Coordinates of all heavy atoms in Angstrom, one line a residue:
M263 N 0.8 -1.2 0.0 CA 0.0 0.0 0.0 C 0.9 1.2 0.0 O 1.9 1.3 0.7 CB -0.9 0.0 1.2 CG -1.9 1.0 1.2 SD -3.0 0.9 2.7 CE -2.3 2.2 3.7
V264 N 0.5 2.2 -0.8 CA 1.3 3.5 -0.8 C 0.8 4.4 0.2 O -0.4 4.7 0.4 CB 1.1 4.1 -2.2 CG1 1.9 5.4 -2.3 CG2 1.6 3.2 -3.3
Q265 N 1.8 5.0 1.0 CA 1.5 5.9 2.1 C 1.5 7.3 1.5 O 2.4 7.8 0.9 CB 2.5 5.7 3.2 CG 2.4 6.8 4.3 CD 1.3 6.5 5.2 OE1 1.1 5.4 5.7 NE2 0.4 7.5 5.4
A266 N 0.3 8.0 1.8 CA 0.3 9.4 1.4 C 0.7 10.3 2.5 O 0.4 10.0 3.7 CB -1.1 9.8 0.9
M267 N 1.4 11.3 2.2 CA 1.7 12.4 3.2 C 1.7 13.7 2.5 O 1.4 13.7 1.3 CB 3.1 12.1 3.8 CG 3.3 10.8 4.6 SD 4.9 10.6 5.3 CE 4.9 11.8 6.6
V268 N 2.0 14.7 3.2 CA 2.1 16.0 2.6 C 3.4 16.7 2.9 O 4.1 16.3 3.8 CB 0.9 17.0 3.0 CG1 -0.4 16.5 2.6 CG2 1.0 17.3 4.5
A269 N 3.8 17.6 2.0 CA 5.0 18.3 2.2 C 4.7 19.8 1.8 O 3.8 20.1 1.1 CB 6.1 17.8 1.3
I270 N 5.5 20.7 2.3 CA 5.4 22.1 1.9 C 6.7 22.5 1.2 O 7.8 22.3 1.7 CB 5.2 23.0 3.2 CG1 3.8 22.7 3.8 CG2 5.3 24.5 2.9 CD1 3.5 23.4 5.1
T271 N 6.5 23.2 0.1 CA 7.7 23.7 -0.6 C 8.1 25.0 0.1 O 7.3 26.0 0.1 CB 7.3 24.0 -2.1 OG1 6.7 22.9 -2.7 CG2 8.5 24.5 -2.9
P272 N 9.3 25.0 0.7 CA 9.6 26.1 1.6 C 9.6 27.5 0.8 O 9.2 28.5 1.3 CB 11.0 25.8 2.1 CG 11.2 24.3 1.9 CD 10.3 23.9 0.8
E273 N 10.1 27.4 -0.4 CA 10.2 28.7 -1.2 C 8.8 29.3 -1.5 O 8.6 30.5 -1.7 CB 10.9 28.5 -2.5 CG 12.2 27.7 -2.5 CD 11.9 26.2 -2.5 OE1 11.4 25.7 -3.5 OE2 12.3 25.5 -1.5
G274 N 7.8 28.4 -1.5 CA 6.4 28.8 -1.8 C 5.6 29.3 -0.7 O 4.5 29.8 -0.8
C275 N 6.1 29.0 0.6 CA 5.3 29.3 1.7 C 5.5 30.7 2.2 O 6.5 31.1 2.6 CB 5.6 28.3 2.9 SG 4.6 28.6 4.4
T276 N 4.4 31.5 2.2 CA 4.4 32.9 2.6 C 4.2 33.0 4.1 O 4.2 34.1 4.6 CB 3.4 33.7 1.8 OG1 2.1 33.2 2.1 CG2 3.6 33.6 0.3
G277 N 3.8 31.9 4.8 CA 3.5 32.0 6.2 C 2.1 32.6 6.4 O 1.9 33.2 7.5
C278 N 1.2 32.5 5.5 CA -0.1 33.1 5.7 C -1.0 32.4 6.7 O -2.0 32.9 7.2 CB -0.9 33.1 4.3 SG -1.4 31.5 3.8
D279 N -0.6 31.2 7.1 CA -1.2 30.4 8.1 C -2.6 29.8 7.7 O -3.3 29.2 8.6 CB -1.4 31.1 9.4 CG 0.0 31.5 10.0 OD1 1.0 31.0 9.5 OD2 0.0 32.3 11.0
L280 N -3.1 30.0 6.5 CA -4.4 29.5 6.1 C -4.5 28.0 6.3 O -5.6 27.5 6.6 CB -4.7 29.9 4.6 CG -5.2 31.3 4.4 CD1 -5.3 31.5 2.9 CD2 -6.5 31.5 5.0
C281 N -3.5 27.3 6.0 CA -3.6 25.8 6.0 C -3.7 25.3 7.5 O -4.2 24.1 7.6 CB -2.4 25.2 5.4 SG -0.8 25.7 6.1
I282 N -3.3 26.0 8.5 CA -3.2 25.4 9.8 C -4.5 24.9 10.3 O -4.5 23.8 10.9 CB -2.6 26.5 10.8 CG1 -1.1 26.8 10.4 CG2 -2.7 26.1 12.2 CD1 -0.5 27.9 11.2
T283 N -5.6 25.6 10.1 CA -6.8 25.2 10.7 C -7.5 24.0 9.9 O -8.4 23.4 10.4 CB -7.8 26.3 10.8 OG1 -8.0 26.9 9.5 CG2 -7.4 27.4 11.8
F284 N -6.9 23.7 8.7 CA -7.5 22.6 8.0 C -6.9 21.2 8.5 O -7.4 20.2 8.1 CB -7.1 22.7 6.5 CG -7.9 23.7 5.8 CD1 -7.7 25.1 5.9 CD2 -9.1 23.3 5.0 CE1 -8.5 26.0 5.2 CE2 -9.8 24.3 4.4 CZ -9.6 25.6 4.5
C285 N -5.9 21.3 9.4 CA -5.4 20.0 9.8 C -6.0 19.6 11.2 O -5.8 20.3 12.2 CB -3.9 20.1 10.0 SG -3.1 18.6 10.6
P286 N -6.7 18.5 11.2 CA -7.3 18.1 12.5 C -6.3 17.5 13.5 O -6.7 17.3 14.6 CB -8.3 17.0 12.0 CG -8.2 16.7 10.6 CD -7.1 17.6 10.1
F287 N -5.1 17.3 13.0 CA -4.1 16.6 13.9 C -3.0 17.6 14.3 O -2.0 17.1 14.8 CB -3.5 15.4 13.1 CG -4.6 14.4 12.8 CD1 -5.2 14.4 11.5 CD2 -5.0 13.5 13.7 CE1 -6.2 13.4 11.2 CE2 -5.9 12.5 13.4 CZ -6.5 12.5 12.2
E288 N -3.2 18.9 14.0 CA -2.2 19.9 14.4 C -0.8 19.6 13.9 O 0.2 19.7 14.7 CB -2.2 20.1 15.9 CG -3.6 20.5 16.4 CD -3.7 20.9 17.9 OE1 -2.6 21.2 18.5 OE2 -4.8 20.8 18.5
A289 N -0.8 19.1 12.7 CA 0.5 18.7 12.1 C 1.1 19.9 11.3 O 2.2 19.8 10.8 CB 0.4 17.5 11.2
L290 N 0.3 20.9 11.1 CA 0.8 22.1 10.4 C 1.0 23.2 11.4 O 0.0 23.7 12.0 CB -0.2 22.5 9.3 CG -0.4 21.5 8.2 CD1 -1.6 21.9 7.3 CD2 0.8 21.3 7.3
L291 N 2.3 23.6 11.6 CA 2.6 24.6 12.6 C 3.6 25.5 12.1 O 4.5 25.2 11.3 CB 3.1 23.9 13.9 CG 2.1 23.0 14.7 CD1 2.8 22.3 15.8 CD2 1.0 23.9 15.2
P292 N 3.6 26.8 12.6 CA 4.6 27.7 12.2 C 6.0 27.5 12.8 O 6.0 27.1 14.0 CB 4.0 29.1 12.6 CG 3.0 28.8 13.7 CD 2.6 27.3 13.5
L293 N 7.0 27.7 12.1 CA 8.4 27.6 12.7 C 8.5 28.6 13.8 O 8.0 29.7 13.6 CB 9.4 27.8 11.6 CG 9.9 26.6 10.8 CD1 11.0 27.0 9.9 CD2 10.2 25.4 11.6
S294 N 9.3 28.3 14.8 CA 9.5 29.3 15.8 C 10.3 30.5 15.3 O 10.1 31.7 15.8 CB 10.3 28.7 17.0 OG 9.6 27.6 17.5
E295 N 11.2 30.3 14.4 CA 12.0 31.4 13.9 C 12.0 31.3 12.3 O 12.0 30.2 11.7 CB 13.4 31.3 14.4 CG 13.5 31.5 15.9 CD 14.9 31.6 16.4 OE1 15.9 31.6 15.5 OE2 15.1 31.6 17.6
R296 N 12.1 32.5 11.7 CA 12.3 32.6 10.3 C 13.7 32.2 9.9 O 14.6 32.9 10.3 CB 11.9 34.0 9.8 CG 12.1 34.2 8.3 CD 11.8 35.7 8.0 NE 12.2 36.0 6.7 CZ 13.5 36.3 6.3 NH1 14.4 36.4 7.3 NH2 13.8 36.6 5.1
P297 N 13.9 31.2 9.0 CA 15.2 30.9 8.6 C 15.8 32.0 7.8 O 15.1 32.8 7.1 CB 15.0 29.7 7.6 CG 13.7 29.1 8.0 CD 12.9 30.3 8.5
A298 N 17.1 32.3 8.0 CA 17.8 33.4 7.4 C 17.7 33.5 5.9 O 17.6 34.5 5.3 CB 19.2 33.5 7.9
D299 N 17.6 32.3 5.3 CA 17.6 32.2 3.8 C 16.2 32.1 3.3 O 16.0 31.9 2.1 CB 18.4 31.1 3.3 CG 17.9 29.7 3.9 OD1 17.1 29.7 4.8 OD2 18.4 28.7 3.4
H300 N 15.2 32.3 4.1 CA 13.8 32.2 3.7 C 13.5 33.4 2.8 O 13.8 34.6 3.2 CB 12.8 32.1 4.8 CG 11.4 31.8 4.4 ND1 11.1 30.7 3.7 CD2 10.2 32.4 4.7 CE1 9.8 30.6 3.5 NE2 9.2 31.6 4.1
R301 N 12.8 33.2 1.7 CA 12.6 34.4 0.7 C 11.5 35.3 1.1 O 11.3 36.3 0.5 CB 12.5 33.8 -0.7 CG 11.3 32.9 -0.9 CD 11.2 32.4 -2.3 NE 10.7 33.4 -3.2 CZ 9.9 33.2 -4.2 NH1 9.5 32.0 -4.5 NH2 9.5 34.2 -5.0
H302 N 10.6 34.8 2.0 CA 9.5 35.7 2.4 C 9.7 36.3 3.8 O 10.5 35.8 4.6 CB 8.2 34.8 2.5 CG 7.8 34.2 1.1 ND1 7.4 35.0 0.1 CD2 7.9 33.0 0.7 CE1 7.2 34.2 -1.0 NE2 7.5 33.0 -0.6
A303 N 9.0 37.4 4.1 CA 9.3 38.2 5.3 C 8.8 37.4 6.5 O 9.4 37.6 7.6 CB 8.6 39.5 5.2
K304 N 7.8 36.6 6.4 CA 7.2 35.9 7.6 C 7.7 34.5 7.7 O 8.0 33.8 6.6 CB 5.7 35.9 7.5 CG 5.0 35.7 8.8 CD 3.5 35.8 8.6 CE 2.7 35.3 9.8 NZ 1.3 35.1 9.5
R305 N 7.9 33.9 8.9 CA 8.3 32.6 9.1 C 7.4 31.6 8.4 O 6.2 31.8 8.4 CB 8.5 32.2 10.6 CG 7.3 31.8 11.3 CD 6.3 32.9 11.5 NE 5.0 32.5 12.1 CZ 4.0 32.1 11.4 NH1 4.0 32.1 10.1 NH2 2.9 31.8 12.0
P306 N 7.9 30.5 7.8 CA 7.0 29.6 7.1 C 6.3 28.6 8.1 O 6.6 28.5 9.3 CB 8.0 28.8 6.2 CG 9.3 28.8 7.0 CD 9.3 30.1 7.7
V307 N 5.3 27.9 7.5 CA 4.7 26.8 8.2 C 5.3 25.5 7.8 O 5.8 25.4 6.6 CB 3.2 26.8 7.9 CG1 2.5 25.5 8.3 CG2 2.5 28.0 8.6
V308 N 5.4 24.5 8.7 CA 6.1 23.2 8.3 C 5.1 22.1 8.7 O 4.2 22.3 9.4 CB 7.4 23.0 9.0 CG1 8.4 24.1 8.6 CG2 7.2 23.1 10.5
V309 N 5.4 20.9 8.1 CA 4.6 19.7 8.4 C 5.4 19.0 9.5 O 6.6 18.7 9.4 CB 4.5 18.8 7.2 CG1 3.7 17.5 7.6 CG2 3.8 19.5 6.0
V310 N 4.7 18.8 10.7 CA 5.4 18.0 11.7 C 5.1 16.6 11.4 O 3.9 16.1 11.6 CB 4.8 18.4 13.1 CG1 5.4 17.6 14.2 CG2 5.0 19.9 13.4
E311 N 6.0 15.9 10.8 CA 5.8 14.6 10.3 C 5.3 13.6 11.3 O 4.6 12.6 10.9 CB 7.0 14.1 9.5 CG 7.3 15.0 8.3 CD 8.4 14.4 7.4 OE1 8.8 13.3 7.6 OE2 8.9 15.2 6.5
A312 N 5.7 13.7 12.5 CA 5.3 12.8 13.6 C 3.8 12.8 13.8 O 3.2 11.9 14.4 CB 6.1 13.0 14.8
S313 N 3.2 14.0 13.5 CA 1.8 14.2 13.7 C 0.9 14.0 12.5 O -0.3 13.8 12.6 CB 1.5 15.6 14.3 OG 2.2 15.8 15.4
C314 N 1.5 14.0 11.3 CA 0.8 13.9 10.0 C 0.4 12.5 9.8 O 1.2 11.6 9.7 CB 1.6 14.5 8.9 SG 0.8 14.3 7.3
V315 N -1.0 12.2 9.6 CA -1.4 10.9 9.3 C -1.7 10.7 7.8 O -2.2 9.7 7.4 CB -2.7 10.5 10.1 CG1 -2.4 10.7 11.6 CG2 -3.9 11.4 9.8
G316 N -1.5 11.7 7.0 CA -1.7 11.6 5.6 C -3.2 11.6 5.2 O -3.5 11.1 4.1
C317 N -4.0 12.3 6.0 CA -5.5 12.3 5.6 C -5.8 13.2 4.5 O -6.8 13.1 3.9 CB -6.3 12.8 6.9 SG -6.0 14.5 7.3
L318 N -4.9 14.1 4.1 CA -5.0 15.0 3.0 C -6.1 16.1 3.1 O -6.5 16.7 2.1 CB -5.2 14.2 1.7 CG -4.1 13.2 1.4 CD1 -4.3 12.5 0.0 CD2 -2.7 13.8 1.4
S319 N -6.6 16.3 4.3 CA -7.6 17.3 4.6 C -7.1 18.7 4.2 O -7.9 19.6 3.9 CB -8.1 17.3 6.0 OG -8.6 16.1 6.4
C320 N -5.8 18.9 4.3 CA -5.2 20.2 4.1 C -5.0 20.5 2.6 O -4.8 21.6 2.2 CB -3.9 20.3 4.8 SG -2.7 19.0 4.4
I321 N -5.0 19.4 1.8 CA -4.7 19.6 0.3 C -5.7 20.6 -0.3 O -6.9 20.5 -0.1 CB -4.7 18.3 -0.4 CG1 -3.5 17.4 0.0 CG2 -4.8 18.4 -1.9 CD1 -2.2 17.9 -0.5
G322 N -5.2 21.5 -1.0 CA -6.1 22.5 -1.6 C -6.3 23.8 -0.8 O -6.9 24.7 -1.3
S323 N -5.8 23.8 0.4 CA -6.0 25.0 1.3 C -5.0 26.1 1.0 O -5.1 27.2 1.5 CB -6.0 24.6 2.8 OG -4.7 24.1 3.2
C324 N -3.9 25.7 0.3 CA -2.8 26.7 0.2 C -3.0 27.6 -1.1 O -3.0 27.0 -2.2 CB -1.5 26.0 0.1 SG -0.1 27.1 -0.1
P325 N -3.1 28.9 -0.9 CA -3.3 29.7 -2.1 C -2.0 29.8 -3.0 O -2.2 30.2 -4.2 CB -3.6 31.1 -1.5 CG -3.0 31.1 -0.1 CD -3.1 29.6 0.3
T326 N -0.9 29.4 -2.5 CA 0.3 29.5 -3.4 C 0.7 28.1 -3.9 O 1.8 27.9 -4.5 CB 1.5 30.1 -2.7 OG1 1.9 29.2 -1.6 CG2 1.2 31.4 -2.1
E327 N -0.1 27.1 -3.5 CA 0.2 25.7 -3.9 C 1.5 25.2 -3.4 O 2.2 24.4 -4.0 CB 0.1 25.5 -5.5 CG -1.3 25.8 -6.0 CD -1.5 25.6 -7.5 OE1 -0.5 25.2 -8.1 OE2 -2.6 25.9 -7.9
A328 N 1.9 25.7 -2.2 CA 3.2 25.2 -1.6 C 2.9 23.9 -0.9 O 3.9 23.1 -0.7 CB 3.7 26.3 -0.6
L329 N 1.7 23.6 -0.6 CA 1.3 22.3 0.1 C 1.0 21.3 -1.0 O 0.1 21.5 -1.8 CB 0.1 22.6 0.9 CG -0.3 21.7 2.0 CD1 0.8 21.4 3.0 CD2 -1.5 22.3 2.7
H330 N 1.6 20.2 -0.9 CA 1.4 19.2 -2.0 C 1.5 17.7 -1.4 O 2.1 17.5 -0.4 CB 2.3 19.3 -3.2 CG 3.8 19.3 -2.8 ND1 4.4 20.4 -2.3 CD2 4.6 18.3 -2.7 CE1 5.7 20.0 -2.0 NE2 5.8 18.8 -2.3
E331 N 0.9 16.8 -2.1 CA 0.9 15.4 -1.7 C 2.2 14.8 -2.1 O 2.7 15.0 -3.2 CB -0.3 14.7 -2.3 CG -0.4 13.2 -1.9 CD -1.6 12.5 -2.5 OE1 -2.4 13.2 -3.2 OE2 -1.7 11.3 -2.3
V332 N 2.7 13.9 -1.2 CA 3.9 13.1 -1.6 C 3.5 11.7 -1.2 O 2.8 11.4 -0.3 CB 5.2 13.6 -0.9 CG1 5.6 14.9 -1.3 CG2 5.0 13.6 0.6
L333 N 4.1 10.8 -2.0 CA 3.8 9.3 -1.7 C 5.2 8.7 -1.4 O 6.2 8.9 -2.0 CB 3.2 8.7 -3.0 CG 1.9 9.3 -3.4 CD1 1.5 8.6 -4.7 CD2 0.8 9.1 -2.4
S334 N 5.1 7.8 -0.4 CA 6.3 7.0 -0.1 C 6.3 5.8 -1.1 O 5.3 5.3 -1.4 CB 6.4 6.6 1.3 OG 5.3 5.7 1.6
P335 N 7.5 5.4 -1.5 CA 7.5 4.2 -2.4 C 6.8 3.0 -1.8 O 6.9 2.7 -0.7 CB 9.0 4.0 -2.6 CG 9.7 5.2 -2.1 CD 8.8 5.8 -1.1
P336 N 6.1 2.3 -2.7 CA 5.3 1.1 -2.2 C 6.2 0.0 -1.7 O 5.8 -0.9 -0.9 CB 4.6 0.6 -3.4 CG 5.2 1.3 -4.6 CD 5.9 2.5 -4.1
D337 N 7.5 0.0 -2.0 CA 8.4 -1.1 -1.6 C 9.1 -0.7 -0.3 O 10.1 -1.3 0.2 CB 9.5 -1.4 -2.6 CG 10.3 -0.2 -3.1 OD1 10.0 0.9 -2.7 OD2 11.3 -0.5 -3.8
N338 N 8.7 0.4 0.4 CA 9.2 0.8 1.7 C 9.0 -0.4 2.7 O 7.9 -0.9 2.7 CB 8.6 2.0 2.2 CG 9.4 3.3 1.9 OD1 10.3 3.2 1.1 ND2 8.9 4.4 2.4
V339 N 9.9 -0.7 3.5 CA 9.7 -1.8 4.4 C 8.9 -1.3 5.7 O 8.4 -2.1 6.4 CB 11.0 -2.4 4.9 CG1 11.7 -3.1 3.7 CG2 12.0 -1.4 5.5
A340 N 8.9 0.0 5.9 CA 8.1 0.5 7.1 C 7.6 1.9 6.7 O 8.1 2.6 5.9 CB 9.0 0.6 8.3
S341 N 6.5 2.2 7.3 CA 5.9 3.5 7.1 C 6.8 4.6 7.5 O 7.4 4.5 8.6 CB 4.5 3.7 7.8 OG 4.1 5.0 7.8
P342 N 7.0 5.7 6.8 CA 7.8 6.8 7.3 C 7.2 7.4 8.5 O 7.9 8.1 9.3 CB 7.8 7.8 6.1 CG 6.6 7.4 5.3 CD 6.4 6.0 5.5
L343 N 5.9 7.2 8.8 CA 5.3 7.8 10.0 C 5.9 7.1 11.3 O 5.8 7.6 12.4 CB 3.8 7.6 10.0 CG 3.1 8.3 8.8 CD1 1.6 8.0 8.8 CD2 3.3 9.8 8.9
L344 N 6.4 5.9 11.1 CA 7.0 5.2 12.2 C 8.4 5.7 12.6 O 8.9 5.5 13.7 CB 7.1 3.7 11.9 CG 5.8 2.9 11.7 CD1 6.0 1.5 11.3 CD2 4.9 3.0 13.0
H345 N 9.0 6.3 11.7 CA 10.4 6.8 11.9 C 10.5 8.3 11.4 O 11.3 8.6 10.5 CB 11.4 5.9 11.2 CG 11.3 4.5 11.5 ND1 11.8 4.0 12.8 CD2 10.8 3.4 10.9 CE1 11.5 2.7 12.8 NE2 10.9 2.3 11.7
P346 N 9.7 9.2 12.0 CA 9.8 10.6 11.5 C 11.1 11.2 11.9 O 11.7 10.8 12.9 CB 8.6 11.2 12.3 CG 8.5 10.4 13.5 CD 8.8 9.0 13.1
P347 N 11.5 12.1 11.1 CA 12.8 12.9 11.4 C 12.5 13.7 12.7 O 11.4 13.9 13.1 CB 13.0 13.7 10.2 CG 11.7 13.9 9.6 CD 10.9 12.6 9.9
P348 N 13.6 14.2 13.3 CA 13.4 15.1 14.4 C 12.5 16.3 14.1 O 12.6 16.9 13.0 CB 14.8 15.6 14.7 CG 15.7 14.6 14.1 CD 15.0 14.1 12.9
A349 N 11.6 16.6 15.0 CA 10.6 17.6 14.8 C 11.3 19.0 14.9 O 12.2 19.2 15.7 CB 9.5 17.6 15.8
P350 N 11.0 19.9 13.9 CA 11.5 21.3 14.0 C 10.9 22.0 15.1 O 9.9 21.7 15.7 CB 11.1 21.9 12.6 CG 9.9 21.1 12.3 CD 10.0 19.7 12.8
A351 N 11.6 23.1 15.6 CA 11.0 24.0 16.6 C 9.9 24.8 16.1 O 10.0 25.6 15.1 CB 12.1 24.9 17.1
T352 N 8.7 24.5 16.6 CA 7.5 25.2 16.1 C 6.8 25.9 17.2 O 7.0 25.7 18.4 CB 6.5 24.2 15.5 OG1 6.3 23.2 16.4 CG2 7.1 23.6 14.2
E353 N 5.9 26.8 16.8 CA 5.0 27.6 17.8 C 3.7 26.9 17.9 O 3.1 26.4 17.0 CB 4.8 29.0 17.3 CG 6.0 29.9 17.2 CD 6.5 30.3 18.6 OE1 5.7 30.3 19.5 OE2 7.7 30.6 18.7
P354 N 3.1 26.8 19.2 CA 1.8 26.3 19.3 C 0.8 27.2 18.7 O 1.0 28.4 18.6 CB 1.6 26.1 20.8 CG 2.5 27.1 21.4 CD 3.7 27.2 20.4
V355 N -0.4 26.7 18.3 CA -1.4 27.6 17.7 C -2.7 27.3 18.5 O -3.1 26.2 18.6 CB -1.7 27.2 16.2 CG1 -2.9 28.0 15.7 CG2 -0.4 27.6 15.4
K356 N -3.3 28.4 19.0 CA -4.5 28.2 19.8 C -5.7 27.9 18.8 O -5.8 28.5 17.8 CB -4.9 29.5 20.5 CG -4.0 29.7 21.8 CD -4.6 30.8 22.6 CE -3.8 31.1 23.9 NZ -3.6 29.9 24.7
R357 N -6.5 26.9 19.2 CA -7.7 26.6 18.5 C -8.9 26.9 19.3 O -8.9 26.9 20.5 CB -7.6 25.1 18.1 CG -6.5 24.8 17.1 CD -6.2 23.4 16.9 NE -5.1 23.2 15.9 CZ -5.3 22.9 14.7 NH1 -6.5 22.6 14.2 NH2 -4.3 22.8 13.9
W358 N -10.0 27.1 18.6 CA -11.2 27.5 19.2 C -12.4 26.6 18.9 O -12.6 26.1 17.8 CB -11.6 28.9 18.8 CG -10.5 29.9 19.1 CD1 -9.4 30.1 18.4 CD2 -10.4 30.7 20.3 NE1 -8.6 31.0 19.1 CE2 -9.2 31.4 20.2 CE3 -11.2 30.9 21.4 CZ2 -8.8 32.3 21.2 CZ3 -10.8 31.8 22.4 CH2 -9.6 32.5 22.3
S359 N -13.2 26.3 19.9 CA -14.4 25.5 19.8 C -15.5 26.4 19.2 O -15.4 27.6 19.1 CB -14.8 24.9 21.1 OG -15.1 25.9 22.0
R360 N -16.7 25.8 18.9 CA -17.8 26.5 18.2 C -18.3 27.6 19.1 O -18.8 28.6 18.6 CB -18.9 25.6 17.8 CG -18.5 24.7 16.6 CD -19.7 23.9 16.2 NE -19.2 23.1 15.0 CZ -19.9 22.1 14.5 NH1 -21.1 21.8 15.1 NH2 -19.5 21.4 13.5
D361 N -18.3 27.4 20.5 CA -18.8 28.4 21.3 C -17.8 29.5 21.7 O -18.0 30.3 22.5 CB -19.4 27.8 22.6 CG -18.3 27.1 23.5 OD1 -17.2 27.1 23.1 OD2 -18.7 26.6 24.5
G362 N -16.6 29.5 21.0 CA -15.7 30.5 21.2 C -14.7 30.3 22.3 O -13.9 31.2 22.6
T363 N -14.7 29.1 23.0 CA -13.8 28.9 24.1 C -12.6 28.1 23.6 O -12.7 27.2 22.7 CB -14.5 28.1 25.2 OG1 -15.0 26.9 24.7 CG2 -15.5 28.9 25.9
P364 N -11.4 28.5 24.1 CA -10.2 27.8 23.6 C -10.2 26.3 24.1 O -10.6 26.1 25.2 CB -9.1 28.6 24.1 CG -9.6 29.3 25.3 CD -11.1 29.5 25.0
W365 N -9.8 25.4 23.3 CA -9.6 24.0 23.8 C -8.2 23.5 23.8 O -7.9 22.4 24.1 CB -10.5 23.0 23.0 CG -10.2 22.8 21.6 CD1 -9.0 22.5 21.0 CD2 -11.2 22.9 20.5 NE1 -9.2 22.4 19.7 CE2 -10.5 22.6 19.3 CE3 -12.5 23.2 20.4 CZ2 -11.1 22.6 18.1 CZ3 -13.1 23.1 19.2 CH2 -12.4 22.9 18.0
S366 N -7.3 24.4 23.5 CA -5.8 24.1 23.7 C -5.0 25.3 23.9 O -5.5 26.4 23.6 CB -5.3 23.3 22.5 OG -5.2 24.1 21.3
Ligands
LIG508 S1 -2.4 15.3 5.5 FE1 -3.9 15.5 7.2 S2 -2.7 15.1 9.1 FE2 -1.2 15.6 7.4 S3 -0.9 17.9 7.6 FE3 -2.6 17.5 6.1 S4 -4.5 17.6 7.3 FE4 -2.8 17.4 8.7
LIG509 S1 -1.5 28.0 3.2 FE1 0.4 27.7 2.0 S2 1.5 29.7 2.0 FE2 0.0 29.7 3.7 S3 1.1 29.0 5.5 FE3 0.1 27.2 4.6 S4 1.7 26.3 3.2 FE4 2.3 28.4 3.7

């Protein structure tokens, strides 16, 4: 079975944050700091691979098409979700319930 995941093209991410609320697993988070070589003024959003389950709910939410689907090769011996790379330093994002109270 082919494992779907998402990736963000760093050069295309303006840091608009639109995609963040589309992820039910809080796997899209802003970097704590803007990398010195980033071409946009605002820090980018990254995929925290340890949290991404590949549901693809976020696909289509990015206005610059920086967010895209990637597939791991079908001959992988283990899911990449089992061995995620070290998580980057990210900022938490407050989320809100329907009655306006924060739940995290
Ligand atoms: S694929 Fe699903 S879990 Fe992964 S970042 Fe997108 S919405 Fe979140
Ligand atoms: S919607 Fe696209 S440009 Fe905006 S933060 Fe997400 S990946 Fe970056």
Side-chain angles (χ1 to χ4, degrees):
M263 189 177 100
V264 177
Q265 173 73 53
M267 296 182 72
V268 298
I270 293 176
T271 307
E273 314 84 62
C275 180
T276 61
C278 71
D279 298 350
L280 276 175
C281 58
I282 291 176
T283 54
F284 283 81
C285 178
F287 300 95
E288 301 185 23
L290 298 170
L291 292 173
L293 276 185
S294 299
E295 293 187 8
R296 176 184 168 276
D299 59 350
H300 190 55
R301 60 181 287 218
H302 299 287
K304 200 175 168 195
R305 86 286 176 270
V307 166
V308 294
V309 180
V310 180
E311 294 187 13
S313 303
C314 176
V315 302
C317 68
L318 304 182
S319 298
C320 57
I321 288 292
S323 66
C324 178
T326 66
E327 299 183 0
L329 193 59
H330 56 276
E331 181 179 358
V332 292
L333 301 177
S334 66
D337 57 353
N338 268 8
V339 294
S341 166
L343 298 176
L344 295 175
H345 304 285
T352 53
E353 294 287 337
V355 173
K356 283 196 182 300
R357 291 170 180 255
W358 299 83
S359 62
R360 286 186 183 169
D361 65 357
T363 54
W365 64 53
S366 68

